[in-house]
């Protein structure tokens, strides 16, 4: 699924890959849509928890943001949630909600850390913490897209390193 995209994967592909029987899949899910809803929700929950753990509570606020940016990423694989957002099925509200939930939670986490950085004098209070968080999400998601288009797995890592440099140069007043 991460290689071909969600929509290109059939229930038969899933069963073949997992080794499960057809009855197992349809015992738990009415069809591909209910399976997708479950999957997107599970991945969203997992990635929200990973974001919280990555940012953590130890260190300065900017160091915690840098930990998020320093996560090892393979640009050719893309972001699990970002890849879902690129599928046409994202128009289905029940599939979009867990994807949106992840990105909104990530923005909330990062904005909270930016507000801490402002309170600690690491960055100016006049900067909008929510917009800074959105910018970082955009850098990471855009880095995945550019990595895939350029077939350069490290383009994303160069983008996040540049984002770190920019954050270090932000005014403190």
């Amino acid at each position: 699924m991460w290689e071909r995209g969600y929509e290109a994967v059939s229930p038969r592909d899933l069963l073949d890959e997992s080794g499960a029987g057809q009855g197992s899949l349809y015992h738990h899910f009415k069809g591909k849509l209910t399976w997708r809803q479950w999957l997107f929700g599970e991945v969203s929950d997992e990635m929200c928890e990973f974001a919280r753990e990555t940012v953590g509570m130890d260190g300065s606020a900017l160091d915690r943001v840098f930990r998020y940016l320093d996560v090892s990423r393979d640009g050719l694989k893309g972001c699990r949630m970002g890849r879902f957002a690129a599928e046409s099925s994202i128009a289905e509200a029940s599939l979009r909600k867990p994807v949106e939930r992840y990105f909104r939670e990530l923005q909330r986490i990062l904005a909270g850390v930016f507000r801490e950085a402002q309170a600690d004098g690491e960055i100016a209070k006049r900067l909008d913490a929510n917009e800074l968080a959105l910018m970082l999400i955009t850098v990471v998601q855009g880095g995945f897209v550019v990595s895939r288009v350029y077939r350069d797995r490290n383009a994303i890592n160069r983008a996040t390193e540049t984002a770190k440099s920019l954050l270090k140069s932000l005014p403190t007043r």
Side-chain angles (χ1 to χ4, degrees):
M1 187 169 29
W2 308 128
E3 296 166 6
R4 294 187 287 161
Y6 165 76
E7 289 172 356
V9 175
S10 71
R12 171 59 40 209
D13 294 330
L14 294 171
L15 294 172
D16 290 347
E17 183 70 23
S18 70
Q22 187 171 357
S24 297
L25 179 66
Y26 292 106
H27 173 73
H28 296 287
F29 306 104
K30 293 178 183 173
K32 194 172 179 183
L33 178 61
T34 56
W35 174 76
R36 281 186 213 176
Q37 292 164 338
W38 172 83
L39 175 68
F40 285 23
E42 289 291 309
V43 174
S44 179
D45 292 346
E46 178 184 313
M47 290 186 67
C48 286
E49 183 58 30
F50 180 75
R52 284 188 287 273
E53 289 174 3
T54 299
V55 171
M57 298 301 293
D58 298 332
S60 76
L62 274 184
D63 285 342
R64 293 165 51 213
V65 170
F66 295 159
R67 274 200 302 264
Y68 166 73
L69 291 171
D70 286 339
V71 167
S72 178
R73 295 175 175 95
D74 182 339
L76 297 181
K77 288 184 178 177
C79 169
R80 292 167 65 197
M81 293 310 288
R83 296 276 306 263
F84 289 152
E87 305 268 352
S88 63
S89 61
I90 198 71
E92 169 65 43
S94 66
L95 297 177
R96 185 180 61 256
K97 284 180 183 178
V99 177
E100 181 179 347
R101 183 178 74 235
Y102 164 69
F103 284 110
R104 288 195 185 278
E105 177 65 7
L106 179 58
Q107 185 175 2
R108 186 193 66 72
I109 291 165
L110 292 172
V113 178
F114 277 123
R115 281 190 281 281
E116 288 179 38
Q118 290 170 322
D120 294 344
E122 292 182 276
I123 60 172
K125 291 180 181 179
R126 64 184 163 81
L127 300 171
D128 186 313
N130 287 316
E131 296 303 317
L132 288 171
L134 181 60
M135 179 196 66
L136 289 190
I137 293 168
T138 304
V139 165
V140 171
Q141 293 304 308
F144 278 125
V145 169
V146 170
S147 285
R148 290 176 61 83
V149 169
Y150 289 174
R151 303 303 303 155
D152 176 357
R153 77 179 62 252
N154 291 311
I156 186 171
N157 299 315
R158 291 191 303 278
T160 56
E161 282 300 315
T162 301
K164 283 174 54 178
S165 295
L166 288 171
L167 288 172
K168 290 175 185 176
S169 71
L170 287 177
T172 57
R173 294 193 241 194

